[in-house]
């Protein structure tokens, strides 16, 4: 019995794509809006707790606490790191060397099926230049607690210790 001859497979039809030339009505040396978008840092899924231009937590007049909104953002950033949704290097400037080393060693401690939501921080001042706060983290069927200790070092507040459960 003769073997059937194979029929050629029809490939999808490909259409030519026009070249992506820059617009001709722009002034030379200026970036177009599209080029500015391409040069921008990559976007991250969802909103990150700390903006890239937020800067350190600075203290104001003697005895002043850091802004509660910024403390909550720092707590959310720490929660995102402990959930494995954010790299630890993003908060390195807000942690002491020892606390940053502990954060690196801790790795992903919280199993979270969705991004963490952080409640309002409960703030205490055990001593001058020291702030302790705890936050409730909602990130799935089980809530977690995060405690942070911040100390004033020079003109900024640094996280010197953290604990989660």
């Amino acid at each position: 019995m003769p073997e059937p001859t194979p029929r050629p497979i029809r490939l999808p039809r490909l259409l030519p794509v026009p070249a992506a030339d820059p617009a001709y009505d722009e002034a030379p040396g200026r970036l177009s809006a599209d080029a500015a978008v391409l040069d921008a840092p990559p976007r991250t899924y969802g909103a990150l707790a700390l903006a890239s231009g937020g800067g350190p937590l600075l203290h104001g007049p003697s005895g002043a606490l850091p802004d509660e909104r910024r403390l909550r953002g720092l707590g959310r950033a720490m929660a995102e790191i402990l959930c494995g949704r954010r790299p630890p290097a993003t908060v390195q400037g807000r942690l002491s060397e020892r606390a940053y080393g502990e954060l690196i060693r801790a790795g992903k401690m919280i199993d979270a099926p969705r991004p963490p939501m952080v409640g309002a921080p409960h703030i205490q001042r055990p001593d001058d230049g020291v702030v302790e706060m705890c936050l409730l983290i909602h990130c799935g069927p089980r809530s977690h607690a995060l405690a942070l200790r911040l100390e004033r070092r020079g003109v900024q507040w640094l996280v010197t210790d953290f604990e989660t459960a």
Side-chain angles (χ1 to χ4, degrees):
M1 181 162 125
E3 289 185 24
T5 58
R7 293 180 28 193
I9 301 172
R10 296 193 77 164
L11 296 176
R13 189 171 179 187
L14 300 176
L15 299 174
V17 177
D21 291 332
Y24 294 103
D25 57 351
E26 294 177 5
R30 280 188 66 184
L31 287 177
S32 67
D34 294 334
V37 169
L38 292 176
D39 290 340
R43 291 182 170 222
T44 305
Y45 173 76
L48 292 178
L50 297 173
S52 59
L57 291 170
L58 299 176
H59 71 83
S62 179
L65 289 174
D67 182 28
E68 184 176 326
R69 196 175 82 201
R70 295 195 63 197
L71 286 175
R72 183 177 181 175
L74 177 62
R76 180 170 176 214
M78 292 287 289
E80 289 170 351
I81 291 167
L82 295 171
C83 289
R85 294 183 174 267
R86 172 185 210 138
T90 58
V91 295
Q92 184 176 6
R94 293 170 173 89
L95 275 71
S96 66
E97 277 187 43
R98 188 178 67 78
Y100 183 67
E102 287 178 17
L103 184 64
I104 296 292
R105 281 190 296 279
K108 182 180 175 183
M109 294 180 70
I110 300 172
D111 186 31
R114 62 183 173 96
M117 293 188 309
V118 177
H122 299 278
I123 301 170
Q124 294 183 354
R125 294 186 58 188
D127 198 6
D128 188 37
V130 176
V131 173
E132 293 179 347
M133 71 171 180
C134 63
L135 303 130
L136 194 57
I137 303 168
H138 307 282
C139 54
R142 182 172 177 229
S143 294
H144 298 270
L146 174 65
L148 299 172
R149 179 181 174 97
L150 289 93
E151 295 181 7
R152 191 169 54 212
R153 303 270 172 97
V155 296
Q156 67 178 347
W157 293 92
L158 292 178
V159 175
T160 57
D161 201 7
F162 71 93
E163 192 172 322
T164 187

